Amino acid sequence: MLILAIETSCDDTAIAVLKVTGAKAKPDLVVLSNTISSQVKLHSKYGGVYPTLAAREHEKNLPKVLKKSLKDAGLKSPADVDIIAVTSGPGLSVALWRGINFAKELAKKYDKPLVPTNHIEGHIYSNWLRPVAVKSKLQITYLRRGFGRQANYKKDGGQKMFPALCLIVSGGHTELTLMSGHGKYKLVGRTRDDAAGEAFDKIARILGLGYPGGPAISATAEKFKILNLKFKIPTLPRPMIYSKDYDFSFSGLKTAVLYLVKGQNEKNKTKKLSPALKTAIAAEAQQAIIDVLVYKTLKAAKEFKAKSIMLSGGVSANKLLRETLKKEAAKIKTPVSIPEMEYTTDNAAMIAMAAYQSYKLKAISYKLDDIEADANWELV
Ligand code: KG4
Ligand code: ZN
């Protein structure tokens, strides 16, 4: 079975082809193509994503991305695939609609089933896309020719990994969700204001580090570690870290950084932070976000007796978060699953994977007219 997936929920126009063979319980998966056209440069001057601009770019990019994705997969036309999947929420409504309309046109023209897919579920299922050991010469040639990365359906042996506590951290979402089985979710906590990725982006903007903020802050914080700078800057708050629930709040942290920067500038009688001070604040802000995320995730994992912890979303690309979560979870002997780097930020391979899973579980055929963008679609 070949699945063509389309993702336009934010500022990445992404199309992927996933090949699924073998038995339903233990399928073999190969990501034949994973094409992404990023709009980062365009949005960086606004310090965030500008929805109507994103939608216009999706419209322009979709045919080109489709062409490239099919070519990378060694396919001639969408007629060669079995299913089309499209992200229909959550995300920016205008951006989602561009992908949905494009997918509907393809589904109609080539008479294929269309599967509306949840973006968050996609992030969770990025954890199932694993490289496998290359075995044969033929496989090596195949990979060298650029046809696909291998992906490996996690042989979870049924229920061993469930319930899994999922920490989904992206630019638009910060959620703790308990996954009791494939397609079964219960929301445990979420952010009350800014998402973790949004906090990274806003703090980076205050520090003048550019967009997207996550990679910029992480690289700046790394310099602080390497230079081994000794700066006495006040500790930033860890918002809601000891609250009784599993909710998050990051907007106060952003405000605290703003005041810290102002205070430092007044103290040093300057209008601009010194590069060294900037690295120190970036490191402290990153640490504050990670401390809260990891503390609450582990607390929830213990309370809900999770058999595993699953990280996902753009912020899961953060090296320190990956390392800290693994280290802390090891103390309570809970395995942690972290997506491959290329599947951390928005991509369509994860959408294909989630669509395959939900198609297999629900086997529903959707009427094209019923498929709509749902900007706030919640996983249940
Ligand atoms: O999942 P994603 O690509 O898009 C959404 O669904 O929102 O996540 C994008 C977010 C951005 O806020 C970006 O700053 C953050 O992921 N991000 C990171 C890193 N790489 C991307 N945050 C922290 N550290 C990183 N290395
Ligand atoms: Zn995302």
Side-chain angles (χ1 to χ4, degrees):
M1 178 197 281
L2 289 176
I3 304 170
L4 177 94
I6 300 169
E7 152 67 42
T8 63
S9 67
C10 193
D11 60 342
D12 290 305
T13 317
I15 299 187
V17 180
L18 179 72
K19 182 177 168 191
V20 187
T21 51
K24 264 190 187 178
K26 274 190 175 181
D28 283 319
L29 298 155
V30 182
V31 179
L32 293 183
S33 65
N34 188 27
T35 314
I36 304 171
S37 166
S38 164
Q39 304 173 11
V40 159
K41 270 195 195 139
L42 208 67
H43 296 283
S44 58
K45 49 179 178 274
Y46 303 101
V49 181
Y50 202 80
T52 45
L53 190 61
R56 205 183 65 196
E57 285 301 300
H58 287 317
E59 185 137 16
K60 207 167 79 187
N61 293 336
L62 276 164
K64 292 184 221 163
V65 176
L66 174 67
K67 204 170 158 193
K68 166 115 185 25
S69 198
L70 288 171
K71 188 168 173 246
D72 287 354
L75 303 178
K76 287 201 176 67
S77 129
D80 299 336
V81 306
D82 301 283
I83 297 173
I84 300 175
V86 66
T87 305
S88 50
L92 302 169
S93 193
V94 278
L96 288 164
W97 268 118
R98 291 306 190 276
I100 293 172
N101 286 335
F102 187 73
K104 281 186 179 180
E105 274 171 36
L106 294 180
K108 220 180 269 175
K109 186 168 171 194
Y110 296 99
D111 193 23
K112 303 289 173 190
L114 184 60
V115 184
T117 305
N118 185 293
H119 183 80
I120 302 285
E121 193 167 27
H123 275 305
I124 292 175
Y125 273 98
S126 64
N127 272 291
W128 271 260
L129 298 171
R130 297 281 168 215
V132 293
V134 176
K135 289 179 201 129
S136 66
K137 270 190 180 168
L138 190 71
Q139 248 183 328
I140 295 170
T141 323
Y142 181 74
L143 290 171
R144 278 212 191 113
R145 285 169 68 195
F147 288 139
R149 300 149 196 84
Q150 298 284 319
N152 182 8
Y153 186 83
K154 194 179 278 173
K155 307 284 191 290
D156 52 58
Q159 298 302 313
K160 268 194 204 137
M161 60 186 299
F162 297 127
L165 184 74
C166 306
L167 171 66
I168 307 121
V169 268
S170 70
H173 293 87
T174 295
E175 286 181 14
L176 276 172
T177 292
L178 196 66
M179 183 179 188
S180 53
H182 290 293
K184 290 186 199 145
Y185 308 99
K186 187 176 153 244
L187 184 71
V188 170
R190 61 154 50 125
T191 182
R192 295 189 183 171
D193 40 57
D194 293 351
E198 198 178 353
F200 272 107
D201 295 337
K202 288 180 175 170
I203 292 168
R205 199 173 176 190
I206 296 169
L207 297 177
L209 293 174
Y211 176 83
I217 290 198
S218 146
T220 311
E222 196 66 25
K223 272 189 220 155
F224 181 71
K225 209 171 89 187
I226 293 166
L227 296 173
N228 199 13
L229 296 168
K230 301 266 181 293
F231 260 94
K232 270 216 168 309
I233 61 155
T235 312
L236 286 165
R238 269 65 176 158
M240 289 183 71
I241 191 162
Y242 299 123
S243 73
K244 288 209 175 80
D245 52 28
Y246 294 106
D247 283 352
F248 301 93
S249 163
F250 291 108
S251 79
L253 180 62
K254 165 200 68 191
T255 315
V257 172
L258 191 68
Y259 284 122
L260 177 59
V261 169
K262 265 191 182 170
Q264 290 291 329
N265 284 348
E266 272 163 24
K267 194 172 115 192
N268 300 324
K269 297 189 176 54
T270 169
K271 282 190 178 144
K272 236 173 130 194
L273 285 177
S274 71
L277 198 49
K278 211 183 259 194
T279 59
I281 298 176
E284 170 63 4
Q286 172 174 255
Q287 194 64 57
I289 296 172
I290 292 174
D291 283 352
V292 180
L293 291 175
V294 172
Y295 184 85
K296 294 203 118 166
T297 303
L298 289 194
K299 194 175 154 211
K302 279 187 258 177
E303 182 178 333
F304 295 101
K305 299 186 174 49
K307 294 230 174 69
S308 68
I309 294 173
M310 236 191 272
L311 179 66
S312 66
V315 181
S316 71
N318 188 283
K319 212 172 124 221
L320 188 63
L321 173 61
R322 294 162 84 96
E323 287 168 4
T324 314
L325 188 59
K326 266 194 202 156
K327 202 171 81 196
E328 293 303 312
K331 293 182 189 162
I332 58 162
K333 297 192 171 52
T334 307
V336 181
S337 174
I338 295 175
E340 297 298 311
M341 264 311 188
E342 66 177 313
Y343 302 123
T344 53
T345 46
D346 287 351
N347 64 87
M350 68 182 197
I351 300 301
M353 184 62 217
Y356 165 68
Q357 195 57 45
S358 84
Y359 191 74
K360 193 171 79 170
L361 276 180
K362 299 183 195 146
I364 299 174
S365 52
Y366 296 86
K367 280 198 198 114
L368 290 190
D369 285 347
D370 292 345
I371 299 176
E372 293 186 333
D374 183 352
N376 303 308
W377 183 5
E378 289 193 11
L379 271 185
V380 277

Short mmCIF file of all heavy atoms in Angstrom, two decimals, residues 98-141:
data_model
loop_
_atom_site.label_atom_id
_atom_site.label_comp_id
_atom_site.label_asym_id
_atom_site.label_seq_id
_atom_site.Cartn_x
_atom_site.Cartn_y
_atom_site.Cartn_z
N ARG A 98 -5.57 25.15 2.38
CA ARG A 98 -4.82 25.03 1.12
C ARG A 98 -4.46 23.57 0.86
O ARG A 98 -4.62 23.06 -0.24
CB ARG A 98 -3.55 25.89 1.13
CG ARG A 98 -3.82 27.37 1.10
CD ARG A 98 -4.72 27.73 -0.07
NE ARG A 98 -4.83 29.15 -0.30
CZ ARG A 98 -5.66 29.96 0.34
NH1 ARG A 98 -6.46 29.48 1.28
NH2 ARG A 98 -5.70 31.25 0.05
N GLY A 99 -3.98 22.90 1.90
CA GLY A 99 -3.61 21.49 1.76
C GLY A 99 -4.84 20.63 1.51
O GLY A 99 -4.82 19.72 0.68
N ILE A 100 -5.92 20.93 2.25
CA ILE A 100 -7.15 20.12 2.11
C ILE A 100 -7.72 20.26 0.70
O ILE A 100 -8.07 19.25 0.06
CB ILE A 100 -8.19 20.54 3.18
CG1 ILE A 100 -7.68 20.16 4.57
CG2 ILE A 100 -9.55 19.90 2.91
CD1 ILE A 100 -8.51 20.69 5.72
N ASN A 101 -7.81 21.48 0.21
CA ASN A 101 -8.37 21.67 -1.14
C ASN A 101 -7.52 20.98 -2.21
O ASN A 101 -8.04 20.37 -3.13
CB ASN A 101 -8.52 23.16 -1.46
CG ASN A 101 -9.70 23.75 -0.69
OD1 ASN A 101 -10.62 23.04 -0.31
ND2 ASN A 101 -9.64 25.05 -0.42
N PHE A 102 -6.22 21.08 -2.05
CA PHE A 102 -5.30 20.43 -2.99
C PHE A 102 -5.49 18.91 -2.94
O PHE A 102 -5.59 18.24 -3.98
CB PHE A 102 -3.86 20.81 -2.62
CG PHE A 102 -2.83 20.36 -3.59
CD1 PHE A 102 -2.68 20.97 -4.82
CD2 PHE A 102 -1.97 19.30 -3.27
CE1 PHE A 102 -1.71 20.55 -5.72
CE2 PHE A 102 -0.99 18.87 -4.16
CZ PHE A 102 -0.86 19.51 -5.39
N ALA A 103 -5.60 18.38 -1.71
CA ALA A 103 -5.77 16.93 -1.53
C ALA A 103 -7.11 16.47 -2.12
O ALA A 103 -7.20 15.40 -2.73
CB ALA A 103 -5.71 16.58 -0.05
N LYS A 104 -8.14 17.28 -1.92
CA LYS A 104 -9.47 16.92 -2.46
C LYS A 104 -9.44 16.86 -3.98
O LYS A 104 -10.02 15.95 -4.58
CB LYS A 104 -10.52 17.95 -2.02
CG LYS A 104 -10.99 17.77 -0.60
CD LYS A 104 -12.12 18.74 -0.29
CE LYS A 104 -12.61 18.56 1.12
NZ LYS A 104 -13.71 19.47 1.47
N GLU A 105 -8.77 17.83 -4.59
CA GLU A 105 -8.67 17.83 -6.06
C GLU A 105 -8.00 16.54 -6.54
O GLU A 105 -8.46 15.91 -7.48
CB GLU A 105 -7.82 19.01 -6.54
CG GLU A 105 -8.62 20.29 -6.70
CD GLU A 105 -7.70 21.47 -6.97
OE1 GLU A 105 -6.68 21.30 -7.67
OE2 GLU A 105 -8.00 22.56 -6.46
N LEU A 106 -6.91 16.17 -5.87
CA LEU A 106 -6.20 14.94 -6.26
C LEU A 106 -7.08 13.70 -6.05
O LEU A 106 -7.15 12.82 -6.91
CB LEU A 106 -4.91 14.77 -5.44
CG LEU A 106 -3.78 15.77 -5.65
CD1 LEU A 106 -2.60 15.42 -4.76
CD2 LEU A 106 -3.33 15.79 -7.11
N ALA A 107 -7.75 13.68 -4.89
CA ALA A 107 -8.59 12.51 -4.57
C ALA A 107 -9.69 12.35 -5.61
O ALA A 107 -10.03 11.23 -6.01
CB ALA A 107 -9.18 12.66 -3.17
N LYS A 108 -10.26 13.48 -6.02
CA LYS A 108 -11.34 13.46 -7.01
C LYS A 108 -10.81 13.00 -8.37
O LYS A 108 -11.32 12.09 -8.99
CB LYS A 108 -11.93 14.86 -7.13
CG LYS A 108 -13.46 14.84 -7.25
CD LYS A 108 -14.01 16.24 -7.38
CE LYS A 108 -14.35 16.84 -6.03
NZ LYS A 108 -14.78 18.21 -6.07
N LYS A 109 -9.73 13.66 -8.78
CA LYS A 109 -9.17 13.39 -10.11
C LYS A 109 -8.73 11.93 -10.25
O LYS A 109 -8.94 11.32 -11.29
CB LYS A 109 -8.00 14.35 -10.34
CG LYS A 109 -7.41 14.28 -11.72
CD LYS A 109 -6.47 15.43 -11.97
CE LYS A 109 -5.73 15.21 -13.28
NZ LYS A 109 -4.59 16.11 -13.40
N TYR A 110 -8.09 11.41 -9.21
CA TYR A 110 -7.53 10.06 -9.33
C TYR A 110 -8.37 8.99 -8.62
O TYR A 110 -7.95 7.84 -8.49
CB TYR A 110 -6.09 10.04 -8.79
CG TYR A 110 -5.17 10.92 -9.62
CD1 TYR A 110 -4.84 12.20 -9.18
CD2 TYR A 110 -4.68 10.49 -10.84
CE1 TYR A 110 -4.03 13.03 -9.95
CE2 TYR A 110 -3.87 11.31 -11.61
CZ TYR A 110 -3.55 12.58 -11.16
OH TYR A 110 -2.75 13.38 -11.92
N ASP A 111 -9.52 9.41 -8.12
CA ASP A 111 -10.46 8.51 -7.47
C ASP A 111 -9.80 7.70 -6.34
O ASP A 111 -9.74 6.46 -6.38
CB ASP A 111 -11.07 7.58 -8.53
CG ASP A 111 -12.27 6.83 -7.97
OD1 ASP A 111 -12.85 7.33 -6.99
OD2 ASP A 111 -12.59 5.73 -8.48
N LYS A 112 -9.28 8.43 -5.37
CA LYS A 112 -8.58 7.79 -4.23
C LYS A 112 -9.28 8.16 -2.93
O LYS A 112 -9.81 9.28 -2.81
CB LYS A 112 -7.13 8.30 -4.13
CG LYS A 112 -6.30 8.10 -5.37
CD LYS A 112 -5.95 6.65 -5.58
CE LYS A 112 -5.25 6.47 -6.91
NZ LYS A 112 -5.11 5.07 -7.29
N PRO A 113 -9.24 7.26 -1.92
CA PRO A 113 -9.79 7.65 -0.62
C PRO A 113 -8.94 8.75 0.01
O PRO A 113 -7.71 8.73 -0.13
CB PRO A 113 -9.72 6.37 0.21
CG PRO A 113 -9.08 5.34 -0.62
CD PRO A 113 -8.71 5.91 -1.95
N LEU A 114 -9.60 9.69 0.67
CA LEU A 114 -8.87 10.77 1.36
C LEU A 114 -9.05 10.61 2.86
O LEU A 114 -10.18 10.49 3.35
CB LEU A 114 -9.40 12.14 0.88
CG LEU A 114 -8.68 13.37 1.43
CD1 LEU A 114 -7.20 13.39 1.06
CD2 LEU A 114 -9.33 14.65 0.91
N VAL A 115 -7.95 10.61 3.59
CA VAL A 115 -8.00 10.40 5.04
C VAL A 115 -7.60 11.69 5.77
O VAL A 115 -6.43 12.08 5.73
CB VAL A 115 -7.05 9.26 5.48
CG1 VAL A 115 -7.17 8.99 6.97
CG2 VAL A 115 -7.32 7.99 4.68
N PRO A 116 -8.56 12.35 6.44
CA PRO A 116 -8.20 13.54 7.22
C PRO A 116 -7.38 13.12 8.44
O PRO A 116 -7.75 12.16 9.12
CB PRO A 116 -9.55 14.13 7.64
CG PRO A 116 -10.51 13.00 7.56
CD PRO A 116 -9.99 12.01 6.57
N THR A 117 -6.29 13.79 8.68
CA THR A 117 -5.37 13.32 9.72
C THR A 117 -5.04 14.43 10.71
O THR A 117 -4.90 15.60 10.34
CB THR A 117 -4.09 12.77 9.05
OG1 THR A 117 -4.50 11.78 8.11
CG2 THR A 117 -3.14 12.16 10.05
N ASN A 118 -4.92 14.04 11.98
CA ASN A 118 -4.64 15.00 13.05
C ASN A 118 -3.13 15.26 13.14
O ASN A 118 -2.32 14.31 13.21
CB ASN A 118 -5.17 14.42 14.37
CG ASN A 118 -5.04 15.39 15.51
OD1 ASN A 118 -3.94 15.72 15.94
ND2 ASN A 118 -6.17 15.85 16.02
N HIS A 119 -2.78 16.53 13.15
CA HIS A 119 -1.36 16.92 13.16
C HIS A 119 -0.63 16.43 14.42
O HIS A 119 0.51 15.96 14.35
CB HIS A 119 -1.29 18.45 13.06
CG HIS A 119 0.09 18.99 12.99
ND1 HIS A 119 0.83 19.00 11.83
CD2 HIS A 119 0.88 19.53 13.94
CE1 HIS A 119 2.01 19.53 12.08
NE2 HIS A 119 2.08 19.85 13.35
N ILE A 120 -1.31 16.52 15.55
CA ILE A 120 -0.69 16.08 16.82
C ILE A 120 -0.46 14.57 16.80
O ILE A 120 0.58 14.08 17.22
CB ILE A 120 -1.62 16.43 18.03
CG1 ILE A 120 -1.89 17.94 18.08
CG2 ILE A 120 -1.05 15.92 19.33
CD1 ILE A 120 -0.77 18.77 18.58
N GLU A 121 -1.45 13.87 16.26
CA GLU A 121 -1.30 12.41 16.15
C GLU A 121 -0.12 12.10 15.22
O GLU A 121 0.64 11.16 15.45
CB GLU A 121 -2.60 11.79 15.61
CG GLU A 121 -2.63 10.29 15.76
CD GLU A 121 -4.01 9.69 15.53
OE1 GLU A 121 -4.81 10.29 14.78
OE2 GLU A 121 -4.28 8.62 16.09
N GLY A 122 0.04 12.93 14.19
CA GLY A 122 1.20 12.80 13.30
C GLY A 122 2.50 12.92 14.09
O GLY A 122 3.39 12.07 13.98
N HIS A 123 2.59 13.96 14.92
CA HIS A 123 3.81 14.12 15.72
C HIS A 123 4.05 12.89 16.59
O HIS A 123 5.17 12.38 16.67
CB HIS A 123 3.73 15.38 16.59
CG HIS A 123 4.15 16.63 15.88
ND1 HIS A 123 5.38 16.76 15.28
CD2 HIS A 123 3.51 17.81 15.67
CE1 HIS A 123 5.48 17.97 14.73
NE2 HIS A 123 4.36 18.62 14.94
N ILE A 124 2.99 12.41 17.24
CA ILE A 124 3.15 11.22 18.09
C ILE A 124 3.69 10.06 17.26
O ILE A 124 4.65 9.39 17.64
CB ILE A 124 1.80 10.84 18.76
CG1 ILE A 124 1.40 11.93 19.77
CG2 ILE A 124 1.89 9.47 19.43
CD1 ILE A 124 0.03 11.74 20.40
N TYR A 125 3.10 9.85 16.07
CA TYR A 125 3.51 8.71 15.24
C TYR A 125 4.86 8.90 14.55
O TYR A 125 5.38 7.95 13.95
CB TYR A 125 2.40 8.33 14.24
CG TYR A 125 1.43 7.37 14.89
CD1 TYR A 125 0.25 7.82 15.44
CD2 TYR A 125 1.75 6.02 15.01
CE1 TYR A 125 -0.62 6.95 16.09
CE2 TYR A 125 0.90 5.15 15.65
CZ TYR A 125 -0.29 5.62 16.19
OH TYR A 125 -1.12 4.74 16.84
N SER A 126 5.46 10.09 14.67
CA SER A 126 6.82 10.24 14.16
C SER A 126 7.75 9.29 14.92
O SER A 126 8.82 8.93 14.44
CB SER A 126 7.30 11.70 14.28
OG SER A 126 7.39 12.07 15.64
N ASN A 127 7.30 8.88 16.10
CA ASN A 127 8.08 7.94 16.90
C ASN A 127 8.13 6.53 16.33
O ASN A 127 8.88 5.69 16.80
CB ASN A 127 7.52 7.89 18.32
CG ASN A 127 8.14 8.94 19.20
OD1 ASN A 127 9.32 8.86 19.52
ND2 ASN A 127 7.38 9.96 19.56
N TRP A 128 7.30 6.27 15.33
CA TRP A 128 7.31 4.93 14.73
C TRP A 128 8.20 4.88 13.48
O TRP A 128 8.37 3.84 12.89
CB TRP A 128 5.89 4.50 14.37
CG TRP A 128 5.22 3.78 15.50
CD1 TRP A 128 5.09 2.43 15.63
CD2 TRP A 128 4.58 4.35 16.64
NE1 TRP A 128 4.42 2.13 16.80
CE2 TRP A 128 4.10 3.29 17.44
CE3 TRP A 128 4.40 5.65 17.10
CZ2 TRP A 128 3.43 3.48 18.65
CZ3 TRP A 128 3.73 5.85 18.29
CH2 TRP A 128 3.26 4.77 19.05
N LEU A 129 8.72 6.04 13.10
CA LEU A 129 9.55 6.07 11.90
C LEU A 129 11.01 5.92 12.29
O LEU A 129 11.67 6.89 12.65
CB LEU A 129 9.32 7.37 11.12
CG LEU A 129 7.89 7.57 10.61
CD1 LEU A 129 7.70 8.98 10.07
CD2 LEU A 129 7.55 6.55 9.55
N ARG A 130 11.48 4.71 12.24
CA ARG A 130 12.84 4.39 12.68
C ARG A 130 13.68 3.89 11.53
O ARG A 130 13.20 3.12 10.71
CB ARG A 130 12.81 3.29 13.73
CG ARG A 130 12.08 3.66 14.97
CD ARG A 130 12.96 4.51 15.85
NE ARG A 130 12.16 5.10 16.91
CZ ARG A 130 12.38 6.30 17.40
NH1 ARG A 130 13.36 7.03 16.94
NH2 ARG A 130 11.64 6.79 18.37
N PRO A 131 14.94 4.28 11.47
CA PRO A 131 15.78 3.68 10.43
C PRO A 131 16.06 2.22 10.79
O PRO A 131 16.14 1.88 11.97
CB PRO A 131 17.06 4.50 10.50
CG PRO A 131 17.05 5.17 11.81
CD PRO A 131 15.65 5.21 12.32
N VAL A 132 16.15 1.38 9.79
CA VAL A 132 16.50 -0.01 10.09
C VAL A 132 17.88 -0.29 9.50
O VAL A 132 18.34 0.41 8.60
CB VAL A 132 15.48 -1.02 9.52
CG1 VAL A 132 14.16 -0.89 10.23
CG2 VAL A 132 15.30 -0.86 8.02
N ALA A 133 18.51 -1.33 10.02
CA ALA A 133 19.84 -1.66 9.53
C ALA A 133 19.73 -2.05 8.05
O ALA A 133 18.83 -2.79 7.65
CB ALA A 133 20.37 -2.84 10.33
N VAL A 134 20.66 -1.53 7.25
CA VAL A 134 20.66 -1.86 5.83
C VAL A 134 21.30 -3.23 5.69
O VAL A 134 22.42 -3.47 6.15
CB VAL A 134 21.45 -0.80 5.04
CG1 VAL A 134 21.54 -1.18 3.58
CG2 VAL A 134 20.77 0.55 5.19
N LYS A 135 20.55 -4.15 5.05
CA LYS A 135 21.03 -5.54 5.05
C LYS A 135 21.71 -5.93 3.73
O LYS A 135 22.81 -6.44 3.72
CB LYS A 135 19.86 -6.47 5.31
CG LYS A 135 19.38 -6.40 6.76
CD LYS A 135 18.19 -7.33 6.97
CE LYS A 135 17.39 -6.90 8.19
NZ LYS A 135 15.97 -6.77 7.89
N SER A 136 21.03 -5.66 2.64
CA SER A 136 21.55 -6.20 1.38
C SER A 136 22.17 -5.13 0.50
O SER A 136 21.95 -3.94 0.69
CB SER A 136 20.41 -6.86 0.62
OG SER A 136 19.51 -5.84 0.24
N LYS A 137 22.97 -5.58 -0.48
CA LYS A 137 23.59 -4.68 -1.43
C LYS A 137 22.52 -3.93 -2.22
O LYS A 137 22.64 -2.76 -2.54
CB LYS A 137 24.49 -5.46 -2.40
CG LYS A 137 25.89 -5.58 -1.90
CD LYS A 137 26.75 -6.13 -2.99
CE LYS A 137 28.18 -6.25 -2.47
NZ LYS A 137 29.01 -7.03 -3.35
N LEU A 138 21.48 -4.67 -2.52
CA LEU A 138 20.39 -4.09 -3.30
C LEU A 138 19.77 -2.91 -2.53
O LEU A 138 19.51 -1.84 -3.09
CB LEU A 138 19.32 -5.16 -3.54
CG LEU A 138 18.23 -4.78 -4.53
CD1 LEU A 138 18.80 -4.74 -5.94
CD2 LEU A 138 17.09 -5.77 -4.45
N GLN A 139 19.62 -3.12 -1.22
CA GLN A 139 19.06 -2.07 -0.37
C GLN A 139 19.96 -0.84 -0.37
O GLN A 139 19.51 0.29 -0.42
CB GLN A 139 18.95 -2.59 1.06
CG GLN A 139 17.53 -2.77 1.53
CD GLN A 139 17.51 -3.23 2.97
OE1 GLN A 139 18.41 -3.94 3.42
NE2 GLN A 139 16.49 -2.84 3.68
N ILE A 140 21.29 -1.09 -0.32
CA ILE A 140 22.24 0.02 -0.29
C ILE A 140 22.13 0.82 -1.59
O ILE A 140 22.04 2.05 -1.57
CB ILE A 140 23.68 -0.49 -0.07
CG1 ILE A 140 23.79 -1.14 1.32
CG2 ILE A 140 24.70 0.64 -0.19
CD1 ILE A 140 25.06 -1.88 1.59
N THR A 141 22.09 0.12 -2.71
CA THR A 141 21.96 0.80 -4.00
C THR A 141 20.68 1.62 -4.02
O THR A 141 20.66 2.77 -4.45
CB THR A 141 21.89 -0.24 -5.16
OG1 THR A 141 22.75 -1.31 -4.85
CG2 THR A 141 22.23 0.37 -6.49
#
